Structure formats: C-alpha cells, structure tokens
Amino acid sequence: MRVRVATTVLGLTAVTVLALPACSTPSSQTKPAASSATRTGIPVNGEQQTAPLSSAALERLLLDESDLGSGYTRTPQRPAQHDDVSVLGCPTLAKLGADTVTGSSLDFPREAKASFTYSGDSNSGVSEELYSDSAGKLSDSTGRIFAAITGCPEFQLLSGSTAVDITTQRMSAPQLGDERWSMLLTFSADGRDSVVKQTAIRSGNVLLTVSGAPALVDKHLDKALAKVTASR
C-alpha cells in the first residue's frame, strides 16, 4: 500500500507529491550542517538585473528525455491539490502558514515543470522546476522557506487522517550558479520510508530545482543548469 503526501519540499515545488515505496529504507539521523545556502561572493543587489523569463521561455529550458538518456519517461503533471495540511513540531514552518505547506504561498507566476520516472519505476524518478523573477525575490523566498524546513530536523505533517513523519538534513551543494541550497528529506508513514533529495540553484533571475532519488538528482543537476544557462 502506498501513501501519497502533498508537501512543500522547499516550498517551491508547487505541490510535490511523493510516493512512499513498498520497501523501507533507513532514515538518516545525521545532524544538519551549519548552513544550507552558499553564494559565490557576488551580492544579489550587485548583480546585473534582467527581465524575468516567461513561462514559455522556461518551458524550452527544461530537460527532456533526450537530455536524460535511455530509461526515462516523462510523467504528466498532477493538478494542484489543496488538502488541509497541518505542521506539527516545527513552529517556524507552521508560522509561515498552510499555503507554504501546500506550496502555494510563493509568488513566482513564471514557472515550468517536468517530472520523469526511471525504467518504469514510479518510485525512482526525478523532477525539475524552473522559476524566474528578480534575483532578490528568488533569493529571499528560497532562503526563507529552505531555512524553515531544514531548521527542524524532525517534524510531522498531518493531511486529513494521514500522519507523515519527516526528518531533514542540510546538504552541501555543488559550487554552481550564484546561490545554491540542498537538502535530504525522509518521509515515513506506515513503517515505510521515502528518501528525497532536492537541490536548488539560482543563476541570475532563474531558479532551478531538481528533486527526486538522490543519485538521479546528483547525476542530472549539471546538465539541467547547463541547459538553463546555455542561451544566456
């Protein structure tokens, strides 16, 4: 039996739906690092400001099956869900409100998204999301939500009658873009765990997030950013 959970995963994944696999995997209890975001040393306010890209332009910058290689199938985007979700055990995240938990509180109207399963296994996949706005807005919103999530090593989401235990771990992100964030989340329900990695890279006025199976995120992050920056 699978449990599907609507949650933020950075608060930027609109409503990321995570399927807990049939097999349990160990939860990580490693203490988070001191910082979840780093910069190249160029201040946001000192960056050259350019007009945000349209959603149509972002759509053309998404990875596709030819970029990923064999074994990947694009999955249709699920419609936005607005379940009644409560946060327990993480006051900083709860303070941001239910809209944050369902991913609808960030005002980034210019966006594009794609999700892929690998080798026909719906539990092994990767998704990409692109957002465009001013560098300052992308930086502030990403940092605020990311800090709220990773600031609580353990908390619980209650969606209807489903309770999901979540542990978070800040990760070191590769030295890419102007700012970067990375984290590992373990979702536990009914004795089953699902481990999801998400890495976000801001390059100028575009924010890229890659989420999913940790090995697949690490494998495809470079090529996702290269495609975003190739035409700029």
Side-chain angles (χ1 to χ4, degrees), residues 71-82:
Y72 291 88
T73 303
R74 186 161 181 168
T75 56
Q77 292 295 315
R78 296 185 179 94
Q81 300 181 22
H82 302 283

Side-chain angles (χ1 to χ4, degrees), residues 28-29 32 88-91 149-156 165-168:
S28 173
Q29 297 297 328
L88 305 176
C90 186
I149 295 176
T150 58
C152 296
E154 298 180 359
F155 62 95
Q156 188 177 72
D165 295 316
I166 301 175
T167 61
T168 68

Side-chain angles (χ1 to χ4, degrees), residues 100-180:
T100 300
V101 179
T102 58
S104 58
S105 67
L106 295 179
D107 186 17
F108 294 146
R110 301 171 183 87
E111 61 180 37
K113 305 173 186 179
S115 297
F116 304 87
T117 56
Y118 181 60
S119 299
D121 181 359
S122 62
N123 291 320
S124 181
V126 63
S127 65
E128 179 188 15
E129 300 184 10
L130 298 176
Y131 299 87
S132 188
D133 210 318
S134 70
K137 286 183 179 179
L138 293 175
S139 177
D140 292 345
S141 295
T142 305
R144 175 170 53 88
I145 301 299
F146 202 97
I149 295 176
T150 58
C152 296
E154 298 180 359
F155 62 95
Q156 188 177 72
L157 284 184
L158 186 63
S159 177
S161 60
T162 301
V164 181
D165 295 316
I166 301 175
T167 61
T168 68
Q169 180 184 353
R170 297 175 184 175
M171 306 292 289
S172 296
Q175 295 295 308
L176 300 172
D178 298 309
E179 290 183 276
R180 74 286 305 176

Side-chain angles (χ1 to χ4, degrees), residues 47 177-179 201-208 225 228-229 232:
E47 293 175 22
D178 298 309
E179 290 183 276
I201 305 291
R202 184 185 66 80
S203 177
N205 63 353
V206 174
L207 179 73
L208 157 75
L225 183 61
V228 166
T229 58
R232 303 171 65 194

Side-chain angles (χ1 to χ4, degrees), residues 9 13 16 125-129 196-199 209-213 217:
V9 186
T13 57
T16 298
V126 63
S127 65
E128 179 188 15
E129 300 184 10
V196 174
K197 184 174 185 178
Q198 182 168 62
T199 298
T209 72
V210 180
S211 312
V217 171

